[in-house]
Amino acid sequence: MQLFIEIYGFLSVVLRGFILAAQSVSVGGLAFLLLLVWPLADALGPSGAVLERRALRLVFLSACGLVAAEALAAASLTLMLAGTLDIPVREAAEARAVAVDLMAALLGAVVALSAWRGRRGGVAIRSAAPVLAALLIGVQAGATHAVSQFEGALALAGAELLHMGGAAVWIGGIPYFLMALTDVADPRARAEIASRFSVMAAGAVAALLAGGLLMAAYYVGAPEALYGASYGVMLSAKIVLFLGLLFLGGLNFLAVRKLRNEPAGPLLRTRRFAETEIGVGLTVIFCAASLASLPPARDLPNDRASFAEIVDRLEPRLPVRLDSPDFEALSAALPAEATKDLPPGTQPRRAADIAWSEYNHHWAGLFVVAMGVMALLERMSRRLAPIMRHWPLVFIGLAGFLFLRADESVWPLGRLGLIESLRDPEIAQHRLLTLLIVAFGLFEWRVRLGRVTKWWAPYVFPISTATAAAFLLTHSHALTNLKEETLIEITHTPLALVGVAAGWSRWLELRLDGEAKKIAGFVWPVAFILAGLMLVFYREA
């Protein structure tokens, strides 16, 4: 139970991210059917019926995912409350937040059943769609910061509705837009769909922006809170990702305008940019889930990092730390009796512990910089390309370094034996991670040499990179010192952002052609180099 309580914070953010994603796809599908497919049924002809069935199938699947995620969220919250408050499970299950999860699960089941019946010819979903979509968003708003505010709760709840509704119609509608581009063969009908979806997305962006601005003004409160508190840092990351989404949406807007004048024109870029919008949009949704787990910045006026402290932490300094401190200087060298009675997260941290952590980050950064430079040289020099294309093998060097140096308390440095250390869940995770890095590097290396020819194989690298970056955004550092927590978030959040850029630019390189493919092919190695440099100059004090 103690282990479950310790990981509950991360688990709840991941579950909330899945819930928001599934809800967005469900509501986005209902909006797409309501505003586009059903009104254009005559113009779409037989293609419209095919599109409707496929759209209802995706609504059904996403609603089922919503039911599962909400049920799991309710169960895990009940267990966590029972464990931390030492109360019966039945009493914990009566908490308001648990009730909100169960209501959302019930609504998700109604949506799934309606979509299933709609695929079999039922028409009830046509009249019920707007009500179901509004109820799904409305119930979810009951789990946000708005309902816990003493002042302005009604206005904030309205802003949440606008924000979540806009995100669902825009980001959740894109998969259905891609379906339409595939299913509808008539160029003029396809151009009409693209034009309507463009208007629909523009309205959704306006709603999302209006709700977001109102919430940001209230929850942040002051400009310095935007960078001095963890909530503000995460909100800033969300704004950067949102600007990236707007950029992609703008490219698609221009493509749609061109399609209106030339209905039979090429659709490749529109499709590829839309795919990338889905990926970045899902990252924004997980970022929103992480944001919902943090206290609003305005509630922490005395625990903010100052601008000078942030600059001091981020300022690159030489020399970087490539020598590790002696093991005997680390807290890991203390006898177990010295720390056994201390609560988790309160163990003393010596200057040598910080130096050890920085040493690990700096070496890891050198490996990442090497990968980025080699990938860049592969594109810039035909003479060096045959050697530089082996850059994925650097992952094996990184994994070897982490295996030997990441856990100071474990063999070959510490007192714990290799097998004995695997009883510790955290160390076991680190060991598993090194194995995954080795497997990942070897797999990508074989893909680049043409030894793995499955169609999906090249996409493992961009999807893995983008997913890891998204999870880094959800990873928080729960420390007793809130200012220190913010300073650590400030060093990790830019890493996540360049990871998102690297993953999705590699995706575009694989999926586009011509000049756009070349540009995307230069973006992700540069993003790797930037990430590596951030690690090389990483500091914890």
Side-chain angles (χ1 to χ4, degrees):
M1 177 58 85
Q2 184 59 39
L3 176 63
F4 173 76
I5 292 172
E6 287 176 14
I7 65 170
Y8 176 77
F10 175 70
L11 176 67
S12 65
V13 172
V14 172
L15 273 176
R16 192 55 54 191
F18 276 113
I19 287 169
L20 291 177
Q23 172 195 276
S24 295
V25 176
S26 299
V27 173
L30 293 175
F32 193 85
L33 287 162
L34 194 66
L35 300 175
L36 206 147
V37 176
W38 291 328
L40 289 178
D42 291 339
L44 297 177
S47 298
V50 174
L51 178 59
E52 182 186 15
R53 281 197 298 275
R54 288 190 69 200
L56 285 170
R57 183 170 183 269
L58 184 54
V59 171
F60 169 75
L61 292 174
S62 57
C64 287
L66 178 63
V67 172
E70 291 283 13
L72 194 54
S76 56
L77 178 58
T78 301
L79 283 177
M80 193 277 292
L81 290 174
T84 53
L85 301 178
D86 197 20
I87 56 176
V89 171
R90 179 179 294 180
E91 189 177 335
E94 293 173 356
R96 189 183 62 82
V98 175
V100 169
D101 285 331
L102 292 177
M103 282 178 63
L106 181 63
L107 269 172
V110 173
V111 172
L113 181 63
S114 301
W116 178 260
R117 292 174 64 87
R119 288 194 75 221
R120 293 175 173 269
V123 296
I125 193 169
R126 297 196 177 202
S127 52
V131 178
L132 291 173
L135 285 175
L136 269 181
I137 298 286
V139 169
Q140 211 56 250
T144 63
H145 286 309
V147 294
S148 61
Q149 302 302 311
F150 294 111
E151 296 177 0
L154 193 59
L156 287 168
E160 291 277 10
L161 287 172
L162 270 178
H163 195 62
M164 285 197 283
V169 172
W170 178 24
I171 298 169
I174 296 173
Y176 302 91
F177 175 54
L178 278 172
M179 274 185 196
L181 294 181
T182 303
D183 291 345
V184 178
D186 180 16
R188 292 195 177 280
R190 207 165 47 206
E192 178 63 22
I193 286 174
S195 179
R196 279 213 180 198
F197 184 72
S198 184
V199 173
M200 194 171 127
V205 169
L208 188 154
L209 195 57
L213 285 173
L214 180 60
M215 287 190 292
Y218 185 85
Y219 292 137
V220 175
E224 57 270 21
L226 201 56
Y227 56 79
S230 292
Y231 186 95
V233 173
M234 191 58 68
L235 179 61
S236 301
K238 194 178 167 195
I239 291 171
V240 171
L241 290 169
F242 177 70
L243 292 175
L245 268 180
L246 279 183
F247 175 71
L248 290 167
L251 292 175
N252 259 342
F253 178 76
L254 295 175
V256 167
R257 283 187 63 184
K258 191 175 178 183
L259 198 63
R260 197 180 304 159
N261 300 323
E262 189 185 349
L267 292 169
L268 182 71
R269 290 192 181 186
T270 305
R271 286 176 172 157
R272 302 308 175 237
F273 289 143
E275 292 167 359
T276 309
E277 274 186 85
I278 293 173
V280 179
L282 288 175
T283 310
V284 173
I285 286 172
F286 271 81
C287 191
S290 182
L291 201 58
S293 71
L294 296 170
R298 67 176 297 155
D299 293 346
L300 304 169
N302 301 319
D303 296 297
R304 297 173 186 165
S306 69
F307 186 72
E309 287 171 321
I310 292 169
V311 170
D312 182 66
R313 182 63 61 92
L314 296 179
E315 183 183 10
R317 291 181 188 169
L318 291 172
V320 296
R321 197 183 296 275
L322 300 180
D323 293 324
S324 64
D326 293 335
F327 175 75
E328 295 303 324
L330 303 174
S331 296
L334 292 172
E337 292 74 20
T339 58
K340 68 177 183 180
D341 295 329
L342 295 174
T346 61
Q347 285 84 354
R349 202 148 189 265
R350 301 175 170 184
D353 296 325
I354 293 173
W356 178 271
S357 178
E358 291 180 351
Y359 155 83
N360 278 292
H361 281 82
H362 295 176
W363 268 104
L366 290 177
F367 282 108
V368 178
V369 168
M371 283 188 267
V373 169
M374 289 178 73
L376 200 59
L377 289 175
E378 182 188 2
R379 283 152 180 75
M380 296 175 67
S381 169
R382 289 185 180 179
R383 187 169 60 85
L384 294 175
I387 298 173
M388 296 301 153
R389 67 175 179 158
H390 297 292
W391 67 263
L393 293 178
V394 180
F395 275 118
I396 298 173
L398 174 61
F401 172 79
L402 293 176
F403 179 81
L404 294 173
R405 310 294 289 185
D407 291 299
E408 66 274 24
S409 58
V410 181
W411 178 91
L413 302 171
R415 298 181 178 127
L416 278 176
L418 183 60
I419 302 300
E420 183 187 4
S421 71
L422 297 180
R423 295 175 186 170
D424 185 319
E426 185 176 347
I427 296 174
Q429 285 177 36
H430 290 172
R431 295 302 188 218
L432 178 62
L433 179 64
T434 56
L435 288 176
L436 288 175
I437 292 173
V438 170
F440 182 66
L442 286 175
F443 182 81
E444 179 63 13
W445 177 63
R446 287 172 60 82
V447 168
R448 287 173 179 274
L449 294 185
R451 295 177 186 173
V452 180
T453 56
K454 300 290 185 185
W455 68 267
W456 49 264
Y459 301 112
V460 170
F461 173 72
I463 290 175
S464 302
T465 304
T467 303
F471 275 98
L472 185 58
L473 280 176
T474 66
H475 177 66
S476 63
H477 299 80
L479 305 177
T480 52
N481 186 331
L482 293 177
K483 183 189 291 187
E484 190 59 30
E485 179 183 326
T486 301
L487 289 170
I488 291 179
E489 302 293 347
I490 278 177
T491 59
H492 284 68
T493 302
L495 275 172
L497 292 177
V498 294
V500 172
W504 290 111
S505 56
R506 171 61 179 160
W507 175 274
L508 285 174
E509 183 190 16
L510 291 169
R511 303 282 287 170
L512 283 171
D513 59 10
E515 198 62 28
K517 179 185 181 75
K518 286 183 182 176
I519 293 171
F522 279 99
V523 170
W524 71 262
V526 170
F528 255 57
I529 294 172
L530 285 175
L533 289 175
M534 288 178 197
L535 289 169
V536 166
F537 293 110
Y538 172 83
R539 284 190 292 118
E540 289 189 10

